[in-house]
Amino acid sequence: KNEGNGISMSDFEYNNRKASEFRVYMKAFPSIPVPQKRYSEVEVSGKDGKYLEENGYEDIAIPLELNFIVKGTKWHDRVRQIKNWLLENMNRELIFEDDAAFFYKVKKVELGEIEHTTRRIGNLTVSFTCEPYTYLRNGKVKMKSEEAEQNPYLLCKPVYYVQGEGLCVINVNGKDMEANVSGNLIIDTERMLAYREDGTLGNTKITGEYEDLYLKPGRNRISVSPGFILQVKPNWRCL
């Protein structure tokens, strides 16, 4: 799309704000790098060469070439707004309009030079360093545990929300985590933290391994002790 004045109109969203709110647009949709596997080299005595052990994926860098338009004489005000938006450390999720059901988790933002091409039009470059995975936006929604049992994507690291009183056992695919619950407890397997809804840390309230609560691809089995309510935010993801 084109505004009729040389400005590209391809939109994206970052930090819960659309680029178009700042009259910023992508010149073209970006080329998304393919995540590369990370390997650890292991030397074994008496063996030729080295063994390679897979160790996750490398981060990816998504570069964007942007342009923007300014009304009137507010050039520097607009530039400050753009910098604040892109560099503010809030909800660092990047969403492209042609793949709006998914988002990238941004770890670092680097801005290049901001070029003043005409009185009203400017160019800038930005690079987003992201986790290698793309995440489903509907995977951020809390759901009943049985609704999260079918994982059509890659291994994911859910957040579990428990309500009830007393000693609770969460079982995922035959592996247990015990939790001493006083009203509510949130178990975040990605951050490896347990805490109450008011933010009070509760790592001492649980016994078990966070990794045991990951959801594998395909069918999973999730159960909780009688008398407790369990909800899951699955954090579904893929490459």
Side-chain angles (χ1 to χ4, degrees):
K1 292 182 288 185
N2 191 288
E3 198 178 66
N5 50 19
I7 286 287
S8 165
M9 292 289 284
S10 298
D11 205 359
F12 68 98
E13 183 177 326
Y14 179 65
N15 261 347
N16 287 333
R17 303 285 297 274
K18 287 186 176 293
S20 54
E21 294 180 39
F22 303 92
R23 306 195 80 186
V24 173
Y25 306 97
M26 295 188 296
K27 291 184 178 181
F29 287 105
S31 299
I32 307 295
V34 176
Q36 300 299 309
K37 285 187 176 181
R38 189 169 51 221
Y39 294 93
S40 299
E41 294 184 348
V42 180
E43 293 188 9
V44 179
S45 178
K47 297 288 186 180
D48 294 328
K50 299 176 180 178
Y51 287 107
L52 296 180
E53 293 183 350
E54 292 186 11
N55 188 21
Y57 291 87
E58 299 284 354
D59 292 335
I60 61 173
I62 302 177
L64 297 183
E65 292 189 15
L66 310 174
N67 49 27
F68 61 95
I69 188 167
V70 180
K71 286 186 176 180
T73 59
K74 300 296 186 180
W75 170 271
H76 294 289
D77 288 342
R78 176 54 50 82
V79 168
R80 280 187 282 270
Q81 289 176 348
I82 293 170
K83 288 191 291 187
N84 289 342
W85 162 55
L86 290 174
L87 297 177
E88 192 171 19
N89 186 9
M90 293 181 63
N91 176 33
R92 307 184 76 177
E93 296 178 359
L94 177 63
I95 302 167
F96 296 107
E97 65 177 0
D98 65 333
D99 194 26
F102 294 81
F103 67 93
Y104 293 88
K105 290 187 178 182
V106 176
K107 302 172 76 171
K108 182 174 69 172
V109 179
E110 295 177 286
L111 286 182
E113 291 185 355
I114 299 177
E115 183 184 10
H116 199 160
T117 56
T118 71
R119 185 174 63 87
R120 298 178 59 209
I121 296 175
N123 293 326
L124 72 151
T125 58
V126 59
S127 178
F128 295 97
T129 299
C130 305
E131 291 187 14
Y133 300 96
T134 53
Y135 290 82
L136 274 81
R137 295 174 75 178
N138 64 8
K140 295 170 58 181
V141 178
K142 285 195 292 186
M143 57 187 68
K144 296 177 181 178
S145 59
E146 56 267 28
E147 296 174 328
E149 289 185 333
Q150 184 63 38
N151 176 14
Y153 304 100
L154 296 178
L155 180 81
C156 62
K157 302 177 180 181
V159 181
Y160 294 86
Y161 300 81
V162 190
Q163 290 181 304
E165 293 287 342
L167 184 63
C168 166
V169 177
I170 301 171
N171 183 285
V172 176
N173 297 323
K175 297 181 179 179
D176 290 341
M177 174 175 279
E178 292 185 355
N180 194 348
V181 182
S182 298
N184 65 79
L185 188 68
I186 299 170
I187 302 171
D188 188 329
T189 65
E190 181 172 24
R191 298 167 63 200
M192 293 192 172
L193 287 176
Y195 51 93
R196 290 174 49 82
E197 290 177 358
D198 62 7
T200 304
L201 287 178
N203 286 346
T204 60
K205 303 292 186 182
I206 63 170
T207 303
E209 302 296 331
Y210 290 100
E211 293 92 335
D212 289 343
L213 301 187
Y214 293 168
L215 296 179
K216 64 183 181 180
R219 186 69 179 174
N220 294 267
R221 301 186 311 277
I222 306 172
S223 63
V224 67
S225 298
F228 291 86
I229 297 173
L230 179 65
Q231 292 181 294
V232 182
K233 183 172 72 173
N235 290 329
W236 286 319
R237 64 186 188 176
C238 54
L239 291 173

